[in-house]
Amino acid sequence: TQLLEQSPQFLSIQEGENLTVYCNSSSVFSSLQWYRQEPGEGPVLLVTVVTGGEVKKLKRLTFQFGDARKDSSLHITAAQPGDTGLYLCAGVGGEYNFNKFYFGSGTKLNVKP
Amino acid sequence: GAGVSQTPSNKVTEKGKYVELRCDPISGHTALYWYRQSLGQGPEFLIYFQGTGAADDSGLPNDRFFAVRPEGSVSTLKIQRTERGDSAVYLCASSHGAGELFFGEGSRLTVL
């Protein structure tokens, strides 16, 4: 059972298009993280958001944490083939366990040149 | 290297056999996590250690799965009487407590 649901599960777009990935939960978390994973490798942290309503930008990537600290979104502007990968959100701590990381179901992004 | 190291990278075994997967975390990281990941899915929590003790083992699917970390560094995930449904990539991650998980490349287990 996944505490966090991501949508869409799969996304195939052309280079230059914009996209948004959503991460939703009924649970409250201390913070929320986004990771990116390439085939044959472990996930790598992109960002951590801590405060409800927080927005963080990382070049063409914009991350938002919901006001209630239950959901998050990742927006990519002008996607490039190098953005291809599996994007994972992870809820950290909260009501269950301070040091536990709960991963979402993942969004597989393919950016075609 | 300075990253998390997992061995073996690939393991093929027969149903019913015993398997051990090893994780060597980043030096000084006190927390160590094991996850299981099926193709195209998110990592599923198995167990995490704080030092030598298992702080939370609620994700271990049944008593065929066991993990140890006797000296607070290297950890071994042990699977007895393997089943085909155990086939997955087993990921290990370590953390120094600042909230970021550093993952290894995983051990791909295939049970025939």
Side-chain angles (χ1 to χ4, degrees):
Chain A
T1 303
Q2 309 253 197
L3 277 182
L4 296 105
E5 292 296 327
Q6 289 184 234
S7 61
Q9 265 191 294
F10 301 96
L11 197 51
S12 183
I13 61 172
Q14 291 294 138
E15 181 176 2
E17 292 184 8
N18 302 332
L19 67 118
T20 302
V21 176
Y22 299 93
C23 174
N24 295 293
S25 176
S26 58
S27 302
V28 176
F29 296 101
S30 302
S31 63
L32 196 135
Q33 299 182 329
W34 285 91
Y35 289 77
R36 180 166 160 262
Q37 184 178 23
E38 298 195 41
E41 298 182 6
V44 176
L45 180 67
L46 295 173
V47 78
T48 300
V49 284
V50 178
T51 307
E54 182 177 1
V55 176
K56 275 192 176 177
K57 292 193 175 183
L58 188 68
K59 297 184 181 178
R60 294 178 293 102
L61 278 60
T62 302
F63 305 85
Q64 185 162 9
F65 200 11
D67 290 341
R69 304 205 324 275
K70 293 182 179 181
D71 53 78
S72 180
S73 64
L74 157 61
H75 182 80
I76 301 179
T77 303
Q80 299 177 359
D83 296 328
T84 294
L86 180 67
Y87 287 82
L88 298 160
C89 64
V92 186
E95 57 193 292
Y96 293 101
N97 187 307
F98 181 72
N99 287 320
K100 207 160 166 181
F101 295 71
Y102 303 86
F103 280 86
S105 43
T107 294
K108 192 168 184 181
L109 172 64
N110 180 37
V111 182
K112 295 175 281 188
Chain B
V4 176
S5 175
Q6 290 189 246
T7 54
S9 54
N10 276 287
K11 176 71 178 178
V12 180
T13 190
E14 293 180 342
K15 180 174 178 290
K17 299 290 188 183
Y18 170 79
V19 165
E20 286 190 354
L21 306 176
R22 175 189 165 106
C23 174
D24 198 343
I26 293 172
S27 178
H29 282 193
T30 56
L32 185 146
Y33 298 76
W34 283 100
Y35 287 85
R36 179 168 70 174
Q37 187 176 29
S38 299
L39 189 63
Q41 299 294 310
E44 173 194 4
F45 171 79
L46 295 176
I47 184 171
Y48 98 87
F49 292 87
Q50 195 65 246
T52 59
D56 187 331
D57 65 357
S58 62
L60 294 177
N62 51 59
D63 61 7
R64 295 187 297 106
F65 288 74
F66 189 70
V68 295
R69 195 186 185 198
E71 297 178 357
S73 179
V74 171
S75 175
T76 305
L77 178 65
K78 307 180 181 194
I79 310 174
Q80 297 179 320
R81 304 183 303 281
T82 51
E83 299 178 357
R84 293 194 180 88
D86 299 335
S87 296
V89 175
Y90 289 81
L91 291 168
C92 175
S94 67
S95 172
H96 52 57
E100 178 178 356
L101 291 181
F102 293 84
F103 282 89
E105 294 186 341
S107 292
R108 180 178 297 278
L109 175 65
T110 303
V111 182
L112 301 177

